[in-house]
């Protein structure tokens, strides 16, 4: 039964919708946490420490954080796999390009695939930079996330990579939220305008919220 659902286009779109909404919820919380950097190193570092002690004493140190990470990894892999397979299925269904091209989709729709690739590469870089410290500029300081963020956004390439990825994220969310709503049956003539507005607002708020951090470091507001 599960295999039958997964093999269908509807099943893959449903997996994309559900996994996308899981990641969207995480992004909202993650952005709000990131904004604590504007309240100083004490608040930001305390927030990072709280994430690691979340659920204690019922859960051990960092268990809740690892549960969140595992759920996110599963969501990202499921989302990317379904997207790739749907893309290949679409290409096989239309092997010949149309003679007359007339783009009817939005810019966000036409860049969903490239946006997904950009975000996938960014996730790898982001983990290597601020989680493991492998690609971190300067000396990575475990337990000092505030200084690590300052280090990253004190480099031109750190700013460029992050800002480009967040712009791609905004476009991805704008189209993805709308697509997820349609796939899960939330769309209707009376709700479509509201859903489109929610998608636009979410994309704008998350993009501006995430980008405000490197801009804050570049302008000296965060130092």
């Amino acid at each position: 039964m599960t295999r039958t659902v997964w093999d269908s286009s509807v099943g893959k779109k449903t997996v994309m919708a559900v996994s996308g909404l899981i990641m969207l919820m995480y992004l909202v919380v993650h952005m709000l946490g990131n904004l604590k950097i504007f309240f100083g190193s004490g608040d930001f570092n305390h927030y990072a420490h709280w994430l690691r002690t979340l659920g204690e004493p019922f859960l051990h140190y960092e268990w809740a954080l690892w549960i969140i990470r595992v759920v996110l990894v599963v969501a990202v892999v499921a989302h990317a796999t379904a997207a790739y397979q749907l893309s290949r299925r679409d290409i096989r269904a239309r092997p010949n390009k149309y003679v007359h091209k007339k783009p009817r989709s939005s810019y966000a729709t036409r860049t969903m695939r490239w946006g997904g690739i950009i975000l996938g590469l960014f996730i790898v870089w982001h983990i290597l930079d601020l989680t493991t410290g492998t690609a971190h500029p300067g000396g990575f300081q475990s337990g000092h996330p505030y200084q690590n963020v300052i280090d990253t956004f004190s480099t031109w390439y750190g700013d460029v990579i992050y800002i480009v990825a967040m712009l791609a994220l905004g476009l991805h969310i704008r189209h993805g939220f709308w697509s997820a709503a349609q796939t899960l049956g939330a769309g209707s003539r009376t709700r479509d305008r509201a859903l489109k507005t929610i998608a636009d607002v979410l994309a704008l708020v998350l993009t501006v919220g995430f980008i405000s951090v490197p801009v804050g470091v570049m302008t000296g507001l965060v130092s």
Side-chain angles (χ1 to χ4, degrees), residues 5-6 8-27 71-72 74-84 86 112 172-173 175-187 195 202:
V5 173
W6 171 253
S8 69
S9 294
V10 173
K12 293 183 189 299
K13 288 180 180 179
T14 302
V15 168
M16 283 192 69
V18 173
S19 59
L21 291 176
I22 290 173
M23 290 186 285
L24 179 59
M25 288 188 290
Y26 167 77
L27 286 170
V71 171
L72 282 173
V74 172
V76 169
V77 171
H79 195 80
T81 302
Y84 174 77
L86 281 171
M112 280 295 284
H172 211 77
I173 290 172
H175 176 70
F177 180 85
W178 167 252
S179 296
Q182 301 306 308
T183 298
L184 298 177
L195 288 170
L202 276 172

Side-chain angles (χ1 to χ4, degrees), residues 121-141:
L121 294 173
F122 169 75
I123 290 172
V124 174
W125 175 82
H126 196 53
I127 291 173
L128 293 176
D129 177 28
L130 292 175
T131 301
T132 67
T134 308
H136 186 72
F140 180 79
Q141 301 180 51

Side-chain angles (χ1 to χ4, degrees), residues 40-59:
S41 61
D43 277 17
F44 192 71
N45 288 339
H46 178 70
Y47 164 69
H49 176 71
W50 173 80
L51 286 176
R52 287 158 175 76
T53 59
L54 185 64
E56 289 187 343
F58 178 72
L59 297 175

Side-chain angles (χ1 to χ4, degrees), residues 99-121:
V99 176
H100 300 290
K101 294 182 179 179
K102 185 177 180 180
R104 298 178 180 176
S105 57
S106 66
Y107 181 77
T109 302
R110 298 195 302 272
T111 57
M112 280 295 284
R113 290 173 187 171
W114 279 109
I117 293 173
I118 290 172
L119 291 172
L121 294 173

